[in-house]
Amino acid sequence: MDKEERKAAEAERLTEDLSDYLDEVSEEDFDPAAVDQWLAAAEELDGAEDSFDAGAAEAAFRARHADLFSRPVSSPTVRRNLHPRRLLPRLAGVAAAAVLVVALAAQGLGLDLFQHVASWTRGEFTFTTGTGDLPEGVFYSDGQAALDAYDVRVPMLPTWNPAWKGDDIPGLDVTVTEEDDGTIVFTEDHRTQAGDGYTFVVRQRKDKRQAEADIQGKGDLDTIVYEFDGRSYYIVPLEEGQYRITWACGRYSGEIYGDMDLEQAKHFVRSITKPDEWVYEAPDMSVPPKYETIQEAMEAVGIDTDYAPTWLPEGFVTVESDTYIHQEAGWYSAYLFATDVEGERNLSLSFDLHTNPDGVGTTVYPKDDVPIVTFEQGGITFYIISNGPWRSVAWMDGGLAGSVGGNLTEEECRQIVDSIPRYATE
């Protein structure tokens, strides 16, 4: 028996050991530490993926424990989150099988290993997952989220960002500071590691007079006064390829500065009070996707494909797909992006399996003023979140989180959920 065969045999033995344990354990006596030990042993076999059939292990386990999977799963009282991903590494088969077996077995027993909470404000919908402690401090997904937190209702931040060229992509850093005179400063930085990019600043002053004093360049010959939507914006050239824009509205003053041309500066300004109409741009389809379907990507990381929709609106073609694993965090993910060129719309599917209940994370969905739609199916709450032309349907089921978003109607979102085998109502 060669090394790979020994690894495969050991992986099968570990799966049998877990099966034997689940045959005997009750819900009251279930010990997560025993599963942790099993996972640790299974992960040591990483590298046996060529000879260990994760799909076969799953099928055998399901057959042996059919009674577990026929039991209803208790409705989770938990939190969860999500983010789009690109170009993620693959998962070894043996670790995938380990994660899948443990997650499904726990849910089959009706064990609620996770907690998740859905919450939303005027501009965001948030899933928070896990039972661990959140990091200290307050974090905002963008500048508008910070303004919403302080109940700033005056439109002051651009909703448009220019397409960035080059490999050094700008990050996003949001800070809120309070100065000695009571001024609150909201800063949203879009900067690369080299410092290129641009910055948005909003200041909440005590009165209109103080806000007006923040305007720069009034009366200067090289200042361009750009009137738009009832406001005056002062655009001042800085170094070559750079501008500074300042304005005031009531007791709030705004500032945008950094790398931009004059047309981009005006585009920033227009998008503050009149968000651009969404314009479809066909994505690059020259590189074939790694996986043609979300089911293929989920299988690669050991996520049960019964959680994936079997129906999507016609016309969508897969552009990009990938998987991700972070074993230390117990996070396994599958992602797919598709486009419908004729219908001029996009579609994104994301599934994440978390196996560490003590971990904690947050997923933020931007939203507009359209009320969030909630509905129950298969014992799970689904949320439809609107953000302009984009709609996302998101849900949590124990350690499994799903999200399908795109230029979809509410009816299409519901049809997608109806097609998920895990939540079939018949």
Side-chain angles (χ1 to χ4, degrees):
M1 182 181 296
D2 62 21
K3 182 178 179 181
E4 290 303 314
E5 290 175 338
R6 286 196 300 271
K7 283 185 176 181
E10 179 64 11
E12 292 173 2
R13 184 190 66 77
L14 286 171
T15 302
E16 286 297 310
D17 287 347
L18 181 65
S19 292
D20 291 340
Y21 173 70
L22 292 172
D23 279 337
E24 301 170 0
V25 73
S26 65
E27 181 173 346
E28 293 77 16
D29 297 331
F30 182 80
D31 182 7
V35 176
D36 289 340
Q37 292 174 3
W38 184 88
L39 269 176
E43 288 175 355
E44 290 180 1
L45 294 176
D46 190 9
E49 60 269 25
D50 292 335
S51 55
F52 181 76
D53 189 338
E58 176 204 348
F61 185 88
R62 279 177 167 271
R64 178 166 177 176
H65 295 281
D67 61 318
L68 292 180
F69 298 104
S70 65
R71 301 179 193 175
V73 178
S74 58
S75 299
T77 56
V78 200
R79 310 180 157 191
R80 147 83 200 177
N81 52 298
L82 257 236
H83 288 291
R85 270 164 292 284
R86 296 287 194 274
L87 304 178
L88 304 170
R90 298 189 68 175
L91 167 64
V94 77
V99 171
L100 177 65
V101 169
V102 173
L104 293 180
Q107 290 192 19
L109 283 169
L111 301 175
D112 186 8
L113 302 181
F114 287 80
Q115 292 183 354
H116 68 262
V117 169
S119 61
W120 55 89
T121 62
R122 198 162 55 92
E124 290 185 338
F125 175 92
T126 304
F127 265 137
T128 304
T129 310
T131 59
D133 295 329
L134 285 168
E136 293 184 3
V138 178
F139 301 90
Y140 302 101
S141 59
D142 56 23
Q144 187 58 53
L147 293 179
D148 288 341
Y150 282 78
D151 201 31
V152 178
R153 301 296 181 114
V154 179
M156 292 295 293
L157 286 173
T159 58
W160 173 82
N161 288 288
W164 193 261
K165 297 180 181 179
D167 296 331
D168 192 6
I169 305 298
L172 175 60
D173 184 36
V174 179
T175 59
V176 179
T177 58
E178 186 169 348
E179 299 180 345
D180 292 340
D181 64 357
T183 297
I184 300 176
V185 182
F186 306 85
T187 304
E188 178 179 313
D189 268 319
H190 297 258
R191 297 283 175 174
T192 67
Q193 291 184 346
D196 300 324
Y198 43 90
T199 300
F200 308 151
V201 181
V202 175
R203 293 179 174 86
Q204 178 180 283
R205 297 293 195 180
K206 289 185 177 180
D207 53 42
K208 180 179 179 179
R209 178 185 59 80
Q210 289 185 351
E212 291 283 349
D214 290 331
I215 296 176
Q216 301 180 35
K218 273 189 177 182
D220 293 351
L221 293 178
D222 58 353
T223 296
I224 300 168
V225 182
Y226 186 56
E227 305 284 346
F228 185 79
D229 202 21
R231 295 184 184 180
S232 296
Y233 297 87
Y234 297 82
I235 306 176
V236 179
L238 301 176
E239 301 176 7
E240 184 177 356
Q242 295 188 343
Y243 285 87
R244 182 187 306 276
I245 311 162
T246 55
W247 72 98
C249 182
R251 67 179 182 132
Y252 299 98
S253 67
E255 180 180 4
I256 305 170
Y257 62 91
D259 300 303
M260 67 191 81
D261 57 32
L262 181 57
E263 182 51 41
Q264 287 175 330
K266 292 180 179 180
H267 205 153
F268 276 132
V269 163
R270 292 194 298 269
S271 75
I272 294 172
T273 55
K274 298 288 185 181
D276 288 353
E277 289 294 324
W278 181 79
V279 178
Y280 174 81
E281 294 183 10
D284 180 10
M285 303 173 67
S286 62
V287 179
K290 182 179 291 187
Y291 306 101
E292 286 292 338
T293 67
I294 189 62
Q295 284 85 353
E296 290 178 12
M298 292 168 72
E299 286 179 352
V301 289
I303 301 176
D304 189 349
T305 58
D306 275 356
Y307 289 92
T310 57
W311 178 89
L312 296 173
E314 293 184 0
F316 283 104
V317 177
T318 302
V319 175
E320 182 181 31
S321 57
D322 221 316
T323 56
Y324 175 75
I325 176 176
H326 191 307
Q327 290 189 13
E328 291 183 2
W331 174 28
Y332 306 82
S333 179
Y335 165 83
L336 183 141
F337 177 79
T339 191
D340 175 10
V341 177
E342 292 187 3
E344 296 190 345
R345 58 181 185 166
N346 295 320
L347 182 68
S348 175
L349 297 93
S350 181
F351 291 86
D352 296 292
L353 178 62
H354 292 269
T355 61
N356 179 14
D358 293 329
V360 64
T362 300
T363 300
V364 178
Y365 296 82
K367 63 177 289 291
D368 55 24
D369 292 332
V370 175
I372 288 175
V373 175
T374 64
F375 63 97
E376 300 284 330
Q377 186 152 319
I380 298 297
T381 301
F382 292 83
Y383 303 85
I384 299 178
I385 308 118
S386 297
N387 188 39
W390 191 272
R391 265 189 191 85
S392 297
V393 55
W395 69 100
M396 277 295 300
D397 188 346
L400 189 285
S403 174
V404 181
N407 308 101
L408 303 168
T409 65
E410 180 180 329
E411 179 57 32
E412 285 174 328
C413 289
R414 290 177 179 270
Q415 283 184 261
I416 289 170
V417 173
D418 284 341
S419 76
I420 300 176
R422 168 67 181 78
Y423 309 111
T425 55
E426 297 181 358

